[in-house]
Amino acid sequence: MKTGHGTIETPTILPVINPNKLLIAPKDLPRYGADALITNSYIFWKDYRQEVIDQGIHNFLDFNGPIMTDSGAFQLMQYGDIDVSNRDIIKFQEKIGVDIGVILDVPVSSQEKKDMARGVAETIKRAKEAQKYIKGSDVLWSGPVQGGVHLDLVRKTAKEMARLDFAIHPIGSVVPLLVKYRFAPHIDIIRTAKEELPSNRPVHLFGAGHPMFFAFAVAMGVDLFDSAAYSLYAQEGRYITQSGTEQLDELDYLPCSCPICSKHSAEEIRESPARTKLLAEHNLYVTFEEIRTIKQAITEKTLWELLELRARSHPALLECMGRFAEQSDYLATQDPLTKKHFFYLSEFSKCRTEIARVREMTQKIGGKKIALGPFGKVPLSVAECYPFTQTVLPGPIKIPKTKNDINKLKAASLYWFGIDLFKDDMKIDVSRRTHKIRAVYHDNKIFASVRAQDFMILLHEAARVLHKKTKKFRVQLVRDKDVEKYAREGRSVFAKFVKKADPAIVPGQEVLVVDSKGRLLAAGEALLTAKEMGEFKRGVAVKVRWSDR
Amino acid sequence: MKTGHGTIETPTILPVINPNKLLIAPKDLPRYGADALITNSYIFWKDYRQEVIDQGIHNFLDFNGPIMTDSGAFQLMQYGDIDVSNRDIIKFQEKIGVDIGVILDVPVSSQEKKDMARGVAETIKRAKEAQKYIKGSDVLWSGPVQGGVHLDLVRKTAKEMARLDFAIHPIGSVVPLLVKYRFAPHIDIIRTAKEELPSNRPVHLFGAGHPMFFAFAVAMGVDLFDSAAYSLYAQEGRYITQSGTEQLDELDYLPCSCPICSKHSAEEIRESPARTKLLAEHNLYVTFEEIRTIKQAITEKTLWELLELRARSHPALLECMGRFAEQSDYLATQDPLTKKHFFYLSEFSKCRTEIARVREMTQKIGGKKIALGPFGKVPLSVAECYPFTQTVLPGPIKIPKTKNDINKLKAASLYWFGIDLFKDDMKIDVSRRTHKIRAVYHDNKIFASVRAQDFMILLHEAARVLHKKTKKFRVQLVRDKDVEKYAREGRSVFAKFVKKADPAIVPGQEVLVVDSKGRLLAAGEALLTAKEMGEFKRGVAVKVRWSDR
């Protein structure tokens, strides 16, 4: 997310800064891993209006990174009424120079449907009214999705918000449920909102500040969190762990290696005059440890494994995992095609997208079969393809070696594309060092190559064959001479030039790039889902490997 | 463990220091959490013999904490022969002033039974021979248990070692299995050794340096580990995590909050000239984070929950958990009676000792029943007793309130002791603040009190009734006037004065302290198992609450 004060790499959490109770100075936040912070514009409006208008919020807080402000909506919910209008708090946020602002939406604390419906109606009204105030603004404006556990209300608000000109969509979470560790309902709330919201607008989950739930929320599509928890818990003597919160007074040992816990014993922190600050620091360190753990899991595509692990840190997360594992239809439309590994970690592993995909992708492949854990019987000829050799089961697996011949490639082609792209007389190039297939040649040209880690068939001249045999796997560009020319030159394809894409495309899929008339231009790897290709205004949709120069 | 250079609090790990390749200076080790180190006396014998004899090993290494040395047995295994005898290396260790030494045992790298049997026979011979050299020594001498996966050989060695005068027993682990992440066989190896070894001698698991397996080994009874892994992995660019080891080169984010990972990005470490040292430091920090996490779990009695969590970080640990969960007969003899909580985290939770105990302890209790997760139907009258109100399931539990009357106490008494200790006319004292039962009075004396957190019936005058009605729950003291007098005065009972104890006693049990003729002296809480009470030479066996003054 690009803001007026630098880029925020998502997913991340914005620590809440209360200017009246500074436990950690804003300028020190990067030390713990924070790129950005969130604070409440209503407090500034009430207590520091003129100073902050004069100095600007970045100077006032002595923080040069992105600043998001909430609007006082929380106070509105708590006290029923506040002395500022939607228009005034929007203009105020604009004036003090925040990077991300929020309209004065109307969250309600009651989970009664009729109260919630009234809050939703008023929030939508204000969001529409806000459009004229935020027009042409440099601030990234947030349009909150309310509705709580009432999914029809969540869907209604999300649908309305999607049509309006917002940059970000916070989801009003159900704090009373979170406080009771009832995380599972959020799986449905987030899914419902995400289904209606454009995929290019980041989603913020309001008020979910405990790291134990982050991985699940991110897996459902949440990009941003905010946390007052690090500070509020510290003030109550509470110490955040991955499994919940412990009372510092009840800890004999500190189950953490952050700079605070490596340097002090539990007793030292208890008896320190800086006790509350030390606790807040620990709480922030472990919060960002979880953010980094999630980011690493995303880049190596092991987020499911992380969820299975987190699921066993608390029964409430086990419940949450159960709900998450039921979303395979939703996940199938976006889960990457190949990953670092497939760890079998529990019955939940059977709900992974790989299981259904393997069933479909191996349908047409005959020959000898072998039993392989949760996949059942799979053809030996595709054993080198993801996820088979990448599967780790409890106990050893023995997969017999297969010959490096054209039949293995034909099977892999059927597996990845449902079509056999290869001819019997093609020449196979095998690595002398690793004895793995590197590429296949035909008529002295590279026809296809093979990625060792997952035996993916990478398209070169084979793109022509695939293009002739099927209308699937296509990413169609908008009609534009330059765009077509760039693709034909082998440059990466940007999402904003994609007109439409085969809805079955997920990241990692080998795809064909075609022009507005369906003519083949290039081939390469999809980095986005079909939906994202249609909606993203920035970023690469297809990393092109081969082009029809 | 008390040594010549301070106390080692177990469980812990001793970092391996190689004097020829010092990545981290010994004197800096405490910064990472290490109390003690281990090094190899054979290297000193070969390369620095006279210097280290002159200076003493503590001065030579500039480390003032406990130092353990291995004997060169590893080199013997690797190279088949070394130029030092059992006697000489024992005398050398003594002379250079080590705190913990090891005889020159004979580990074998082959897992063939006949090779292993030869190694075992030679090790036992040398252990016996060593007895005359170590007699009267201040060094804590270690008698290694060999046998690998051959449990009969493990049992044979352990039996022999138990008879000899050693302070510590290392178990030779099966390094080739560990390297392949085959942890499960160690569950059986450790159990077999522990069954034969005296419970008052710490057990060291040789060569198991990766923290991912620590919690399981500790749960099976291991007290000490050693790790060269932190340094060897660092030299190979490998980064230790709770789920295994990652290549630093493949990390985009550092999933850790240790001082190294909080201060540097993955890229910074990769490009730092101090890369190897930084990696070693991280590896040590996370190793000791796991040690502290385990210690905290032990003190709050949530080690099972920690194992269920660790089980999901790698399929090999899932396999290990499966093997561990099958040890409930072994665990039942030592698992504490009440704990902080009972998290239901998977099917494995059904193997916890609580399940079988509840079945037995509720047998005689009638009245209304309620369904409670893995426990099935349990009497409502004991719902406040551990583990019922302490149970956390995925999803909410509703237990109806019960009245604070004598019937609830009668049920709890049947539950904890199998006997009803109460009479209908006893007076119940209820806390005004919490509305919980605090104590029960009879004839103006405290008859019993109730611990709020687990509704344990704590014995006061009720001890007399229990003593009259059963011969169970007894801890009998040696015949000694002073010992009897101290107990009658209400002082804690030390293990060394226990003659015998009801074999069913586990920590947390309310017990009766009786004299050599079976007469009641005192009552209180057992802190040890019956076996430990018989074998420990130090420490409190019973924390006395009431005594017959």
Side-chain angles (χ1 to χ4, degrees):
Chain A
M1 265 178 73
K2 292 199 191 299
T3 80
H5 287 77
T7 300
I8 299 175
E9 190 183 81
T10 63
T12 195
I13 177 160
L14 312 181
V16 173
I17 288 292
N18 180 343
N20 293 325
K21 204 178 235 166
L22 270 190
L23 212 48
I24 288 177
K27 70 171 189 300
D28 291 336
L29 285 175
R31 181 189 303 167
Y32 309 96
D35 296 328
L37 63 79
I38 183 169
T39 182
N40 192 322
S41 60
Y42 180 65
I43 299 176
F44 294 93
W45 165 272
K46 270 186 54 185
D47 300 344
Y48 308 99
R49 199 175 312 173
Q50 201 53 51
E51 298 105 292
V52 73
I53 288 174
D54 293 345
Q55 297 177 36
I57 191 150
H58 291 85
N59 283 334
F60 189 87
L61 287 178
D62 191 14
F63 182 74
N64 206 31
I67 294 179
M68 177 173 182
T69 45
D70 197 358
S71 57
F74 181 77
Q75 283 77 1
L76 183 64
M77 178 177 78
Q78 294 285 65
Y79 311 119
D81 195 19
I82 57 169
D83 56 359
V84 70
S85 68
N86 187 24
R87 180 183 171 281
D88 288 350
I89 202 74
I90 289 174
K91 292 288 173 196
F92 179 66
Q93 291 177 77
E94 182 87 44
K95 213 178 282 180
I96 63 178
V98 307
D99 301 291
I100 306 169
V102 185
I103 64 160
L104 190 63
D105 61 319
V106 187
V108 293
S109 57
S110 154
Q111 289 293 311
E112 285 295 318
K113 186 153 185 185
K114 71 174 197 310
D115 298 328
M116 196 59 95
R118 202 166 35 229
V120 158
E122 183 63 22
T123 296
I124 293 170
K125 198 183 119 201
R126 291 181 179 200
K128 287 179 176 168
E129 171 196 84
Q131 296 300 296
K132 56 177 180 285
Y133 312 136
I134 68 178
K135 205 172 165 150
S137 164
D138 284 337
V139 173
L140 300 170
W141 285 102
S142 310
V145 175
Q146 301 291 351
V149 293
H150 304 290
L151 299 181
D152 53 340
L153 294 178
V154 171
R155 193 174 296 281
K156 183 183 164 189
T157 333
K159 217 173 233 165
E160 293 282 356
M161 292 291 169
R163 286 197 207 109
L164 300 174
D165 192 18
F166 288 112
I168 295 172
H169 293 289
I171 300 177
S173 72
V174 188
V175 174
L177 285 182
L178 287 182
V179 168
K180 281 193 232 152
Y181 284 11
R182 297 295 314 279
F183 301 110
H186 282 83
I187 298 290
D188 301 295
I189 296 173
I190 299 167
R191 173 169 175 171
T192 304
K194 286 289 291 186
E195 282 177 346
E196 302 299 333
L197 295 171
S199 57
N200 63 330
R201 297 186 189 167
V203 166
H204 180 136
L205 189 65
F206 259 147
H210 198 300
M212 66 195 287
F213 179 58
F214 288 177
F216 290 95
V218 169
M220 288 304 296
V222 169
D223 304 283
L224 292 166
F225 302 88
D226 59 277
S227 169
Y230 80 95
S231 161
L232 297 177
Y233 287 179
Q235 289 164 48
E236 294 163 6
R238 295 172 75 195
Y239 177 99
I240 292 179
T241 72
Q242 191 43 66
S243 313
T245 318
E246 303 252 15
Q247 281 293 340
L248 176 64
D249 288 346
E250 289 170 9
L251 284 176
D252 293 295
Y253 302 91
L254 300 174
C256 172
S257 66
C258 82
I260 306 305
C261 299
S262 292
K263 211 168 156 182
H264 303 90
S265 68
E267 203 184 337
E268 281 167 23
I269 298 181
R270 264 198 294 278
E271 290 172 7
S272 166
R275 165 192 165 115
T276 305
K277 177 161 187 207
L278 291 172
L279 265 176
E281 289 187 271
H282 157 80
N283 288 346
L284 267 186
Y285 274 123
V286 293
T287 298
F288 283 98
E289 172 177 358
E290 182 64 359
I291 293 292
R292 285 196 300 274
T293 302
I294 292 169
K295 284 184 175 179
Q296 178 59 28
I298 291 172
T299 59
E300 69 183 28
K301 307 195 181 79
T302 56
L303 193 54
W304 184 287
E305 278 89 343
L306 180 61
L307 297 187
E308 291 223 41
L309 175 58
R310 294 293 176 251
R312 309 301 168 153
S313 60
H314 194 284
L317 293 174
L318 183 59
E319 183 193 16
C320 195
M321 184 72 202
R323 202 75 199 92
F324 179 79
E326 289 166 12
Q327 314 299 316
S328 25
D329 58 326
Y330 175 69
L331 301 175
T333 63
Q334 41 198 307
D335 201 27
L337 195 57
T338 79
K339 299 179 185 148
K340 185 183 180 188
H341 51 55
F342 182 109
F343 275 6
Y344 184 84
L345 293 171
S346 77
E347 292 285 312
F348 291 130
S349 302
K350 294 182 184 165
C351 299
R352 287 178 63 149
T353 60
E354 282 87 346
I355 305 292
R357 285 179 181 168
V358 160
R359 203 176 309 123
E360 201 189 313
M361 291 161 71
T362 55
Q363 257 174 8
K364 296 192 195 165
I365 306 168
K368 200 184 163 200
K369 304 214 166 177
I370 48 165
L372 192 68
F375 304 106
K377 294 236 166 199
V378 299
L380 180 59
S381 54
V382 293
E384 280 180 54
C385 300
Y386 180 82
F388 308 116
T389 37
Q390 295 77 6
T391 294
V392 185
L393 299 177
I397 308 179
K398 211 157 168 62
I399 298 179
K401 278 252 175 209
T402 44
K403 269 186 293 180
N404 277 338
D405 63 12
I406 197 73
N407 290 322
K408 186 152 95 180
L409 288 158
K410 283 167 167 278
S413 175
L414 275 174
Y415 181 74
W416 293 118
F417 303 105
I419 290 169
D420 177 9
L421 299 171
F422 295 97
K423 286 192 181 152
D424 290 342
D425 61 348
M426 288 178 173
K427 193 175 152 276
I428 302 173
D429 174 28
V430 175
S431 158
R432 285 199 188 170
R433 197 174 57 81
T434 65
H435 306 289
K436 290 189 183 251
I437 296 178
R438 281 199 300 213
V440 183
Y441 286 82
H442 187 56
D443 290 342
N444 290 322
K445 281 182 187 160
I446 298 190
F447 183 75
S449 58
V450 174
R451 188 162 58 201
Q453 76 214 47
D454 52 14
F455 213 85
M456 173 63 79
I457 305 288
L458 305 174
L459 299 170
H460 295 256
E461 291 295 319
R464 298 188 202 276
V465 182
L466 186 61
H467 181 255
K468 203 188 293 177
K469 291 196 176 179
T470 180
K471 293 237 182 303
K472 296 207 284 183
F473 311 115
R474 293 191 181 190
V475 175
Q476 188 168 41
L477 302 187
V478 293
R479 196 172 154 187
D480 180 309
K481 284 267 170 278
D482 283 342
V483 168
E484 285 169 16
K485 184 171 151 258
Y486 291 156
R488 210 182 286 275
E489 284 172 3
R491 300 206 212 171
S492 287
V493 169
F494 284 88
K496 64 177 160 185
F497 301 127
V498 172
K499 192 178 150 201
K500 66 175 187 186
D502 175 353
I505 291 173
V506 294
Q509 177 69 58
E510 284 287 296
V511 295
L512 303 171
V513 180
V514 299
D515 69 12
S516 57
K517 294 207 169 120
R519 287 174 297 210
L520 181 65
L521 297 169
E525 181 180 348
L527 301 187
L528 301 175
T529 66
K531 183 172 192 265
E532 289 164 347
M533 288 187 191
E535 293 177 342
F536 275 29
K537 305 266 184 303
R538 261 208 289 259
V540 173
V542 182
K543 205 172 80 190
V544 168
R545 183 175 307 101
W546 171 93
S547 67
D548 184 19
R549 282 177 196 255
Chain B
M1 264 178 71
K2 292 198 193 301
T3 79
H5 287 78
T7 300
I8 299 175
E9 191 183 80
T10 61
T12 196
I13 175 158
L14 314 181
V16 172
I17 288 292
N18 179 344
N20 292 326
K21 202 177 238 168
L22 269 190
L23 213 47
I24 288 176
K27 70 171 187 305
D28 291 336
L29 285 174
R31 180 188 303 167
Y32 309 95
D35 296 329
L37 64 80
I38 183 168
T39 183
N40 192 324
S41 61
Y42 180 64
I43 298 176
F44 294 93
W45 165 272
K46 270 186 52 183
D47 300 343
Y48 309 98
R49 199 176 311 175
Q50 202 52 52
E51 297 105 289
V52 73
I53 289 175
D54 293 345
Q55 298 176 36
I57 190 151
H58 291 85
N59 283 334
F60 188 87
L61 287 178
D62 191 15
F63 183 74
N64 205 29
I67 294 179
M68 176 171 182
T69 43
D70 197 357
S71 57
F74 181 76
Q75 283 75 1
L76 183 62
M77 177 174 77
Q78 294 285 71
Y79 311 117
D81 195 20
I82 56 171
D83 56 356
V84 69
S85 69
N86 187 23
R87 179 183 175 280
D88 287 349
I89 202 73
I90 290 174
K91 292 286 173 197
F92 180 65
Q93 292 177 77
E94 182 88 45
K95 212 179 282 181
I96 63 177
V98 309
D99 300 292
I100 306 169
V102 185
I103 64 160
L104 190 63
D105 60 322
V106 186
V108 291
S109 57
S110 154
Q111 289 293 311
E112 284 295 318
K113 186 154 185 181
K114 71 175 200 305
D115 298 330
M116 197 60 98
R118 199 164 40 225
V120 159
E122 183 63 22
T123 297
I124 294 170
K125 198 184 119 199
R126 292 181 179 201
K128 287 179 177 165
E129 169 196 87
Q131 296 298 297
K132 58 179 177 285
Y133 312 135
I134 68 179
K135 201 169 172 164
S137 164
D138 284 336
V139 173
L140 300 171
W141 285 103
S142 310
V145 176
Q146 301 292 352
V149 294
H150 304 289
L151 300 180
D152 54 339
L153 294 179
V154 171
R155 193 174 297 282
K156 182 182 163 191
T157 333
K159 218 173 232 165
E160 293 283 357
M161 292 292 167
R163 285 197 208 110
L164 301 174
D165 193 18
F166 288 112
I168 295 172
H169 293 289
I171 300 177
S173 71
V174 187
V175 174
L177 284 182
L178 288 182
V179 168
K180 281 193 234 155
Y181 283 13
R182 296 295 315 279
F183 302 111
H186 282 84
I187 299 291
D188 302 295
I189 296 173
I190 300 167
R191 175 172 173 168
T192 305
K194 287 288 292 185
E195 282 176 347
E196 301 300 332
L197 296 170
S199 58
N200 63 331
R201 295 188 190 166
V203 166
H204 180 135
L205 190 65
F206 259 147
H210 197 300
M212 65 195 287
F213 179 60
F214 287 178
F216 290 94
V218 168
M220 288 304 297
V222 169
D223 304 283
L224 292 167
F225 302 88
D226 59 276
S227 169
Y230 79 94
S231 163
L232 297 177
Y233 286 179
Q235 289 164 47
E236 295 163 6
R238 296 172 75 194
Y239 178 99
I240 293 179
T241 73
Q242 191 42 66
S243 313
T245 318
E246 303 251 15
Q247 281 293 341
L248 176 65
D249 288 345
E250 289 171 11
L251 284 177
D252 293 294
Y253 302 92
L254 300 173
C256 172
S257 66
C258 84
I260 305 306
C261 300
S262 292
K263 214 168 155 185
H264 302 90
S265 68
E267 203 186 335
E268 281 167 23
I269 298 181
R270 263 197 294 277
E271 290 171 7
S272 166
R275 168 194 163 114
T276 304
K277 176 159 189 208
L278 292 171
L279 266 176
E281 290 188 88
H282 157 79
N283 288 345
L284 267 186
Y285 274 123
V286 293
T287 298
F288 282 98
E289 172 176 359
E290 182 63 0
I291 293 292
R292 286 198 299 274
T293 301
I294 292 169
K295 284 183 175 180
Q296 178 59 27
I298 292 172
T299 60
E300 68 183 29
K301 307 193 181 81
T302 56
L303 194 54
W304 185 287
E305 279 89 344
L306 181 61
L307 297 186
E308 291 222 39
L309 177 57
R310 294 292 177 250
R312 309 300 169 154
S313 60
H314 195 284
L317 294 173
L318 183 60
E319 182 194 16
C320 193
M321 183 73 202
R323 202 74 200 93
F324 180 78
E326 289 165 13
Q327 315 298 318
S328 25
D329 59 325
Y330 175 69
L331 301 175
T333 62
Q334 41 198 308
D335 199 29
L337 196 56
T338 80
K339 298 177 188 152
K340 184 183 180 189
H341 51 57
F342 182 107
F343 276 5
Y344 184 85
L345 293 171
S346 77
E347 293 285 312
F348 290 130
S349 303
K350 293 182 183 164
C351 300
R352 287 178 62 149
T353 60
E354 282 87 346
I355 306 290
R357 284 178 182 167
V358 159
R359 202 176 307 125
E360 198 187 315
M361 291 160 73
T362 55
Q363 257 173 9
K364 296 191 194 167
I365 306 167
K368 201 185 159 197
K369 304 213 165 176
I370 47 165
L372 194 68
F375 304 107
K377 295 236 165 198
V378 300
L380 181 58
S381 55
V382 293
E384 281 179 55
C385 299
Y386 180 85
F388 308 116
T389 40
Q390 295 78 4
T391 293
V392 184
L393 299 178
I397 309 178
K398 211 156 169 60
I399 298 178
K401 279 250 170 210
T402 45
K403 271 187 293 181
N404 276 336
D405 63 12
I406 197 75
N407 291 322
K408 185 153 94 182
L409 288 157
K410 284 167 168 278
S413 174
L414 275 172
Y415 181 74
W416 293 119
F417 303 106
I419 290 169
D420 177 9
L421 299 170
F422 296 96
K423 287 192 178 153
D424 289 341
D425 59 349
M426 289 177 173
K427 196 176 148 280
I428 302 174
D429 174 28
V430 175
S431 159
R432 286 198 188 171
R433 199 174 55 80
T434 65
H435 306 290
K436 290 190 182 249
I437 296 176
R438 283 201 299 216
V440 182
Y441 287 82
H442 187 57
D443 291 342
N444 290 324
K445 281 184 187 158
I446 297 189
F447 183 75
S449 58
V450 175
R451 187 162 57 200
Q453 76 215 46
D454 53 13
F455 214 85
M456 174 61 81
I457 305 288
L458 305 174
L459 299 170
H460 295 256
E461 291 295 319
R464 299 188 201 277
V465 182
L466 186 62
H467 182 253
K468 203 188 290 173
K469 291 196 174 180
T470 181
K471 294 238 182 304
K472 296 207 284 182
F473 311 113
R474 292 191 181 189
V475 174
Q476 188 169 44
L477 303 186
V478 294
R479 195 171 158 189
D480 179 309
K481 282 269 170 280
D482 282 340
V483 167
E484 286 169 15
K485 183 170 154 262
Y486 290 155
R488 211 182 284 275
E489 285 172 1
R491 298 206 211 171
S492 287
V493 169
F494 284 88
K496 65 177 160 184
F497 301 127
V498 172
K499 191 177 150 200
K500 66 176 188 188
D502 175 352
I505 291 173
V506 293
Q509 177 69 56
E510 284 286 297
V511 296
L512 303 170
V513 179
V514 300
D515 70 11
S516 57
K517 296 208 166 121
R519 286 173 298 208
L520 182 64
L521 298 169
E525 182 181 347
L527 302 187
L528 301 175
T529 65
K531 181 169 191 265
E532 289 164 347
M533 287 185 191
E535 294 177 341
F536 276 30
K537 307 267 183 303
R538 260 207 291 260
V540 174
V542 182
K543 204 172 79 191
V544 168
R545 184 176 306 99
W546 171 93
S547 66
D548 185 20
R549 281 174 196 258

